[in-house]
Amino acid sequence: MAQEPPDATGSPDGPPDDPRKVPGDGPREAPGAHDPDELKRLRERVAALESVQQTAVRPGHHRIRAFFSTLLIVVGCVLAPLSVVAAWAAQEVGNTDRYVATVAPIAANGDVQNAVANRVTDAVMQHIDLNTLLEGVAPADRPRLTAALGKLGGALENALKSFVHDKAKQVVASDRFQTFWTDANRKIHSSVDKALTGSGGGAVKLTDNAVQIDLAPVIDQVKERLVADGLTAAGKIPEVHTQFTIVKSDDIGKLKTGFRLLQLAGFWLPVLAILLVAAGVLLALRRRRALVAAALGVAFATLVLGLGLTVFRAVYLDALPPSASQPAAGAVYDALVRLMRTTIRMVVVLGIVVALAAWLTGPGRRAALVRQLWHSGIRSVRSTADHYGMRTGPVGPWIHRYRRWIVWALVAVALVVYLVWSYPTAWVVVGIALALLLAFAIVDFLAEDPAADITRTGASE
């Protein structure tokens, strides 16, 4: 039987084959047609692209969010130094025990003791002179003594003043003066708290925009010592009232309303500042970057307040009358604002720590490098421990599984410790941050990936 001739392609049965077709190659299917996970990922990618496209066509929405985010953060940063002043007004001026604990050590300050002794000496010397000392001399002897004192009067006057000053220094260096100072300042607190509205009672007065202590009890003690040491004329000195100024400012009346408002807002103003900053960060498009900027902004604004306190100290001392002791006034000023300066340093350090933490956990190249160096160091230490047979056992895989939760729990504990600390300082913030870093290092050291452990075990076998 004759055979049919082959076609041009050499195939006896069908049309020419497609030269691009590979044998065994079936019809092509859409990617992910039989892979639900792949299809889900594709859908999520399409949704993300659509979200980006929708965002791109609404630039005005972004500008509005950025504007309000910046506004909230700026207002919060402006309120930060006011919050420090408000907290000081509520804790220092509004709390009697805290105020007394602050100013009580001033009594042991050498400059304050010299100022009080000088003030007492001047008051006593106004009632003691050489003629007073001659009252106890017989009338027949007075002419000769008066003629003799005419040549030595100046030297004897200075000697008498030095004698009185020594007794005054002994009194102000005694425990009785410490007690008097503490009790007087406990009374003075009502005047400082209301420095701006009225006057205190007893040994404390608010006169001519100045908070003053009446040194009459100290003068009485000096008179007792003078009489005991033979200067009987001091016993005839009447009751003398002389004032020692604690705080003086011509602007007290002007500051009355603002200071009172800050005192009333002592607790709520810091809370409001924190809420505004937090709202601004949450509203921002790039939250991590906004958090860094907000933390540094709060630290900078508070640092400006600290510089302002230093400048105001110089202005305040220069405005004092010539009769006032600038070293003593400076010591009193430093004691009164010590808590505020402590709070300023704490807020500045806290802002820097928060900004550094936000930056280190971000996607930046340098931050990633720091994290890589950190984890590399921890892995090296763990490898050395593994080499010497120090294994974590079942603890390592468990920590590895719940590592994220453990980290957040440690952060929460650090935050609680900071919040319950009575008066946190800058060193407290640094200590909490270092303790948290140490805890993170321990977690990294103990967290062990089970797959990595199997790989190391197989390699060792």
Side-chain angles (χ1 to χ4, degrees):
M1 181 181 294
Q3 296 182 352
E4 295 182 0
D7 336 320
T9 60
S11 172
D13 296 322
D17 293 334
D18 187 349
R20 294 171 298 179
K21 184 176 180 181
V22 179
D25 194 9
R28 298 180 179 273
E29 297 182 354
H34 299 291
D35 189 354
D37 294 336
E38 180 67 20
L39 184 59
K40 182 179 178 181
R41 286 194 294 269
L42 289 175
R43 288 176 177 173
E44 292 175 350
R45 184 172 181 81
V46 170
L49 291 175
E50 289 177 352
S51 175
V52 171
Q53 184 178 6
Q54 291 175 0
T55 303
V57 298
R58 291 188 297 170
H61 177 68
H62 274 191
R63 285 196 294 268
I64 293 175
R65 284 185 59 184
F67 171 77
F68 281 104
S69 172
T70 304
L71 179 63
L72 291 173
I73 291 175
V74 169
V75 174
C77 292
V78 172
L79 291 181
L82 294 178
S83 301
V84 173
V85 178
W88 172 80
Q91 297 176 8
E92 186 76 52
V93 183
N95 188 314
T96 302
D97 293 334
R98 182 70 183 177
Y99 171 79
V100 172
T102 299
V103 299
I106 299 178
N109 183 274
D111 293 326
V112 174
Q113 290 182 353
N114 285 330
V116 173
N118 292 337
R119 191 70 175 169
V120 171
T121 300
D122 293 340
V124 172
M125 289 301 296
Q126 290 178 1
H127 299 273
I128 297 181
D129 55 17
L130 297 181
N131 293 326
T132 303
L133 298 178
L134 292 177
E135 291 180 357
V137 180
D141 296 332
R142 286 183 184 178
R144 289 185 295 105
L145 289 177
T146 301
L149 292 176
K151 300 178 182 178
L152 302 175
L156 290 177
E157 190 81 23
N158 292 333
L160 178 60
K161 184 175 183 179
S162 177
F163 179 71
V164 173
H165 187 268
D166 289 343
K167 299 306 174 184
K169 284 291 296 291
Q170 292 176 10
V171 170
V172 299
S174 65
D175 294 337
R176 293 180 65 183
F177 177 73
Q178 300 279 340
T179 303
F180 162 77
W181 180 270
T182 301
D183 294 341
N185 275 283
R186 187 171 292 277
K187 296 176 182 178
I188 209 175
H189 175 260
S190 61
S191 282
V192 174
D193 188 20
K194 304 185 261 188
L196 318 171
T197 58
S199 61
V204 182
K205 294 182 180 179
L206 179 64
T207 307
D208 297 331
N209 291 328
V211 179
Q212 299 175 331
I213 292 181
D214 187 359
L215 296 178
V218 180
I219 296 176
D220 290 339
Q221 295 179 34
V222 173
K223 289 191 298 183
E224 293 175 1
R225 287 181 179 257
L226 291 174
V227 173
D229 289 341
L231 191 60
T232 56
K236 300 180 180 180
I237 299 176
E239 185 177 4
V240 179
H241 295 274
T242 186
Q243 309 299 326
F244 181 77
T245 301
I246 298 293
V247 179
K248 179 178 178 60
S249 175
D250 295 334
D251 296 328
I252 285 183
K254 300 177 183 178
L255 299 175
K256 181 187 303 183
T257 303
F259 185 87
R260 187 60 179 165
L261 289 176
L262 286 176
Q263 187 179 14
L264 293 174
F267 172 76
W268 295 108
L269 194 59
V271 173
L272 178 61
I274 294 174
L275 291 178
L276 288 175
V277 171
V281 171
L282 293 176
L283 191 60
L285 299 175
R286 299 181 177 180
R287 293 175 180 173
R288 193 183 304 276
R289 182 176 297 182
L291 178 58
V292 173
L296 293 179
V298 170
F300 176 76
T302 310
L303 182 62
V304 171
L305 173 62
L307 297 177
L309 288 179
T310 303
V311 174
F312 180 77
R313 182 183 189 275
V315 174
Y316 168 72
L317 295 181
D318 289 341
L320 293 176
S323 59
S325 171
Q326 287 200 359
V332 173
Y333 177 88
D334 293 338
L336 289 177
V337 301
R338 181 177 294 117
L339 177 61
M340 193 186 307
R341 284 175 169 164
T342 300
T343 305
I344 288 172
R345 288 191 289 267
M346 183 272 296
V347 173
V348 171
V349 173
L350 180 62
I352 294 175
V353 168
V354 171
L356 188 60
W359 176 76
L360 286 175
T361 56
R365 183 169 57 87
R366 293 183 177 86
L369 176 60
V370 173
R371 293 197 302 270
Q372 182 179 359
L373 292 175
W374 167 274
H375 293 300
S376 297
I378 298 297
R379 283 195 299 268
S380 298
V381 174
R382 189 168 61 227
S383 298
T384 303
D386 290 342
H387 177 72
Y388 287 98
M390 299 173 61
R391 299 297 177 87
T392 60
V395 176
W398 185 87
I399 294 179
H400 178 78
R401 175 182 298 179
Y402 298 103
R403 179 176 178 177
R404 181 182 298 273
W405 293 100
I406 294 174
V407 167
W408 281 112
L410 291 173
V411 173
V413 170
L415 182 60
V416 170
V417 170
Y418 169 78
L419 291 177
V420 300
W421 204 286
S422 298
Y423 295 99
T425 64
W427 288 112
V428 170
V429 174
V430 172
I432 293 175
L434 293 179
L436 189 59
L437 283 177
L438 178 61
F440 287 164
I442 294 175
V443 170
D444 279 354
F445 177 81
L446 295 178
E448 181 143 16
D449 188 357
D453 184 52
I454 294 173
T455 301
R456 286 196 305 269
T457 303
S460 61
E461 292 176 354

